[in-house]
Amino acid sequence: MHNKNNALELASSLTDKAADYLFKLAIACFGFLAIPMTIDVVLRMFFDTALEGVIELEEFVFAVGCFASMAFIQKQRDHIRVDLFVNMLSKRTQNLLQLHHMLVGGYVYALIAVYVFKQGLHVMDTNEYSYVFIIPFWPFYFFAALCCLLLVLILIKNAMRSLSTCIRQQSFAGILLVLALVTLSFTAPWLIKGSALAADKLLLGGLAAGYLMVLLFAGMPIGYCMAFIGISGLLVIQPKPAAALSLLGIGTYATASNFTYTVIPLFMLMGELAYRSGISKDLFRTASAWTGRLPGGLAVAAVAGCAGFAAVCGESLATALTMTSTALPEMREKKYDVPFACATIGAGGTLGILIPPSTGFIFYAIITEVSIGKLFMAGILPGILLAGLFIGVVLFTAWRNPAKVPAGNSVPWGEKLRSLRGTVSMLILIVLILGGILSGSFSPNEGGAIGAVGALLIAMAKRSMTWRDLVEAIASTTLMTAKLIFILLGVTLLGYFLAGTRLPFIMADAITGMNANKYVILAVIIVFYIIMGAIMNVIPMMLLTLPAIYPTVLGLGFDPIWFGVVVVVLMEMGLITPPIGMNVFGICGMVKDVSMSAIFKEILPFCLIMCVCILLLVIFPGIALWLPSTFF
């Protein structure tokens, strides 16, 4: 027994070390992504030549980075999941659910590993290679299969630990129930296949969507959950299982090597580097110099600083946390009501996914295939409008309760003018990214690369970044990208199944065929997103719901660019509404002396004003559409 335990501990240690080494490889890959694209843009713009095979190289590097990071996410148990209801359950029940989730995840990725390997064998037999560099594809498929196998081994290890915990807790009936559910889940496609239920694809799709929601709220990692439902559904609707399973090998690698998706880590890296370069502090100092004398001047400056940093970050939580560390100490010193100050920063932070470059728009564009450039332009005026509405809330609160939101000190004009130097870095990045995209000098993906390199050069010029800061920025980017890749892989497999059932299009046809006014249906969609935003993280919510809702919106005759702005504003609301409210969660993690409930109470006016913003967008769609129609 002792030797057996030693062998298990050695195997566990080896898998953990392998996951750690592969994650370091992923960091190197994601750090490398910006370099070839930047060189290519520079060569095109200044030397009228180009770097051959950039897209091909990026796809190979991105694929390696994606697969190399997956086992580490499972080792850390750092998946994106809906844990709202799970946290209310007993520890015993949570352990049983963990056992179920690990077994299902292991099943899913064992299948993926096998069929990615089989696809690699097929690619090797057919001698497929890249067009420019003549690199064979099969080694990358085999590497992907190996990474998936390592992920399965870690899942098995995690499942064994959960099982051991359940046994110590004497949850024998629960263990049997979990094993029965897992067995039923694995065999259900074969039991359903050929039945009346399998023939009724609409009903099948509806039941699958319902079971998907059950698994989500049971706390299963979203990527595993969507992949499992997608695989099970494909096995039911495809006449031959081999055809369904072959999609695992084809679709998984195609998703992880999709050049379009490289825009995700590039803009994330730009935001990480911009944060570490001190741009946020410079922006807040500039804003406070110009607005500090107003009633609630520092709160106004915090919103303005959030808006400015959003233009170089693209991510809401990062914007909120950055401004919390920058603005909150000064607001405390001026005797601001701390819950209101935190609420203002939390709301201002949501501008990170509205004011371009925005990760919200990036994901919307990936799902809907709408122009990222048009979406970026569409977000500018609504972002300014919403920032103005937030400032209006601050000024109204200061008028009603001056003690809660006091005025600041006046600043001489000379100091105000000198403070404008703090906006130079932001303006350089904005001109680089939006100017290049709008002029057609480079694509949105290349814009992300240029932005990341630009942010790094600014940080180096300011001497505000060490080598360790750079590595941490790339590691943070890698970690978040890896978590999202799990979901994108799940979305791909689930999308194959939903396309086979035609559920999204049948729903769209049914809704558009109703006699209800299209604005009544839009109101229902908006309420749905508000509710979903309160219980789910915003990016997974978009990835999960848009494939079904987007065809409906098009069928109703709404502009897809305009709807993208509305969806992103709704996503912003989800970042500050209870009980999830990720911006509020993040701020509470930094500010230990303020309760979450106190911040949520103060944040209510900001949520209401966001509803006003959506209403204005509905009444005046030109707010979102004027700039895209002008520049494109």
Side-chain angles (χ1 to χ4, degrees):
M1 179 65 73
H2 182 69
N3 290 336
K4 184 179 179 180
N5 288 337
N6 286 341
L8 289 174
E9 288 177 5
L10 177 61
S12 174
S13 174
L14 289 174
T15 56
D16 286 352
K17 286 182 179 179
D20 290 340
Y21 283 122
L22 283 172
F23 188 69
K24 290 177 181 177
L25 173 61
I27 291 173
C29 289
F30 287 125
F32 175 78
L33 283 177
I35 298 173
M37 280 194 266
T38 302
I39 294 173
D40 186 42
V41 169
V42 171
L43 289 175
R44 288 202 317 262
M45 292 181 67
F46 298 102
F47 301 98
D48 197 26
T49 184
L51 191 65
E52 289 293 325
V54 170
I55 293 178
E56 193 175 281
L57 178 63
E58 295 282 317
E59 288 177 342
F60 282 130
V61 172
F62 185 60
V64 171
C66 288
F67 287 111
S69 59
M70 292 168 67
F72 183 82
I73 298 298
Q74 182 56 48
K75 177 206 163 192
Q76 300 294 104
R77 299 198 182 196
D78 198 17
H79 290 280
I80 299 175
R81 69 183 80 221
V82 181
D83 54 9
L84 169 64
F85 300 107
V86 175
N87 290 338
M88 301 177 185
L89 303 175
S90 66
K91 288 294 182 183
R92 178 174 297 190
T93 305
Q94 289 184 37
N95 286 326
L96 288 168
L97 287 172
Q98 283 291 327
L99 175 60
H100 173 270
H101 302 339
M102 295 306 103
L103 291 173
V104 171
Y107 163 75
V108 166
Y109 272 88
L111 285 176
I112 289 175
V114 169
Y115 283 91
V116 170
F117 180 76
K118 285 188 174 183
Q119 184 64 22
L121 290 175
H122 172 74
V123 167
M124 185 167 62
D125 289 340
T126 54
N127 196 28
E128 296 181 28
Y129 49 82
S130 64
Y131 180 75
V132 177
F133 294 116
I134 321 298
I135 297 173
F137 285 108
W138 62 264
F140 295 92
Y141 277 92
F142 290 165
F143 176 78
L146 185 63
C147 291
C148 291
L149 177 60
L150 178 62
L151 170 62
V152 172
L153 293 175
I154 293 177
L155 280 163
I156 292 172
K157 180 188 72 172
N158 293 159
M160 295 301 292
R161 286 180 177 173
S162 294
L163 178 60
S164 177
T165 302
C166 293
I167 291 173
R168 286 198 304 271
Q169 294 174 335
Q170 298 185 344
S171 304
F172 301 115
I175 293 171
L176 291 175
L177 178 60
V178 166
L179 294 177
L181 285 173
V182 170
T183 303
L184 180 62
S185 297
F186 295 170
T187 57
W190 313 103
L191 298 173
I192 296 172
K193 195 175 185 69
S195 67
L197 175 58
D200 190 341
K201 291 186 178 180
L202 179 59
L203 177 60
L204 178 66
L207 291 174
Y211 190 42
L212 174 68
M213 298 307 295
V214 170
L215 293 177
L216 284 174
F217 291 122
M220 181 181 286
I222 295 173
Y224 294 161
C225 184
M226 298 172 82
F228 171 65
I229 295 296
I231 292 170
S232 300
L234 285 170
L235 287 171
V236 173
I237 65 173
Q238 289 284 350
K240 295 181 179 180
L245 294 172
S246 67
L247 290 173
L248 305 188
I250 298 169
T252 301
Y253 185 81
T255 299
S257 62
N258 190 329
F259 176 72
T260 302
Y261 293 163
T262 61
V263 73
I264 299 168
L266 289 170
F267 275 108
M268 285 185 175
L269 180 59
M270 185 191 72
E272 289 283 343
L273 294 172
Y275 160 62
R276 286 169 170 79
S277 68
I279 288 177
S280 59
K281 293 180 181 178
D282 294 339
L283 291 172
F284 177 70
R285 291 193 190 104
T286 302
S288 60
W290 285 85
T291 67
R293 190 180 181 184
L294 296 172
L298 287 180
V300 172
V303 174
C306 285
F309 189 64
V312 295
C313 176
E315 209 280 315
S316 288
L317 182 59
T319 302
L321 297 183
T322 300
M323 204 52 61
T324 298
S325 63
T326 301
L328 190 61
E330 291 196 37
M331 296 168 82
R332 282 183 183 273
E333 186 179 335
K334 296 298 182 182
K335 307 300 181 186
Y336 273 67
D337 179 75
V338 179
F340 179 80
C342 291
T344 302
I345 295 170
T350 65
L351 297 169
I353 58 169
L354 180 60
I355 295 176
S358 154
T359 53
F361 285 137
I362 288 169
F363 279 99
Y364 181 89
I366 287 172
I367 297 166
T368 63
E369 299 183 357
V370 171
S371 164
I372 294 180
K374 289 183 179 180
L375 287 167
F376 280 0
M377 293 307 297
I380 293 175
L381 292 182
I384 295 171
L385 169 64
L386 189 56
L389 291 172
F390 286 161
I391 290 172
V393 171
V394 171
L395 294 175
F396 179 76
T397 305
W399 174 67
R400 290 287 304 273
N401 194 344
K404 186 175 183 178
V405 192
N409 301 322
S410 61
V411 175
W413 272 99
E415 187 173 337
K416 286 183 179 181
L417 294 173
R418 285 192 296 272
S419 73
L420 292 174
R421 289 179 297 185
T423 65
V424 172
S425 299
M426 176 197 73
L427 292 173
I428 289 173
L429 285 178
I430 291 174
V431 170
L432 272 175
I433 299 165
L434 293 183
I437 293 173
L438 293 176
S439 66
S441 300
F442 45 76
S443 67
N445 295 63
E446 292 168 336
I450 294 293
V453 172
L456 176 61
L457 293 175
I458 289 170
M460 291 171 63
K462 295 170 66 175
R463 298 182 180 180
S464 59
M465 181 177 294
T466 64
W467 174 255
R468 182 176 179 179
D469 290 332
L470 175 60
V471 173
E472 287 179 354
I474 301 172
S476 177
T477 298
T478 303
L479 195 65
M480 192 60 210
T481 303
K483 290 191 281 189
L484 291 171
I485 284 298
F486 268 107
I487 298 176
L488 286 169
L489 292 173
V491 166
T492 299
L493 298 176
L494 182 63
Y496 289 152
F497 165 56
L498 291 178
T501 64
R502 294 192 54 79
L503 178 64
F505 305 102
I506 293 171
M507 288 175 57
D509 290 342
I511 293 173
T512 53
M514 295 169 57
N515 293 325
N517 184 283
K518 70 175 186 177
Y519 290 102
V520 173
I521 298 172
L522 176 65
V524 173
I525 293 173
I526 288 172
V527 171
F528 168 76
Y529 269 116
I530 291 173
I531 295 171
M532 290 295 291
I535 58 179
M536 286 187 69
N537 289 340
V538 292
I539 297 297
M541 176 183 72
M542 179 183 284
L543 292 170
L544 187 65
T545 59
L546 263 183
I549 289 177
Y550 183 69
T552 302
V553 172
L554 290 185
L556 292 171
F558 290 110
D559 186 279
I561 300 293
W562 171 86
F563 184 67
V565 175
V566 172
V567 167
V568 169
V569 174
L570 290 167
M571 290 172 62
E572 289 184 296
M573 195 182 303
L575 288 165
I576 57 173
T577 49
I580 296 295
M582 287 305 299
N583 279 15
V584 178
F585 275 26
I587 291 171
C588 281
M590 296 179 66
V591 186
K592 304 296 184 182
D593 60 335
V594 181
S595 70
M596 196 175 298
S597 59
I599 299 177
F600 277 131
K601 181 180 177 181
E602 297 293 341
I603 220 160
L604 179 61
F606 295 99
C607 292
L608 295 176
I609 212 68
M610 293 173 97
C611 293
V612 172
C613 181
I614 292 172
L615 181 61
L616 290 173
L617 286 170
V618 173
I619 297 173
F620 307 107
I623 297 173
L625 297 177
W626 179 65
L627 284 178
S629 63
T630 301
F631 285 91
F632 290 90

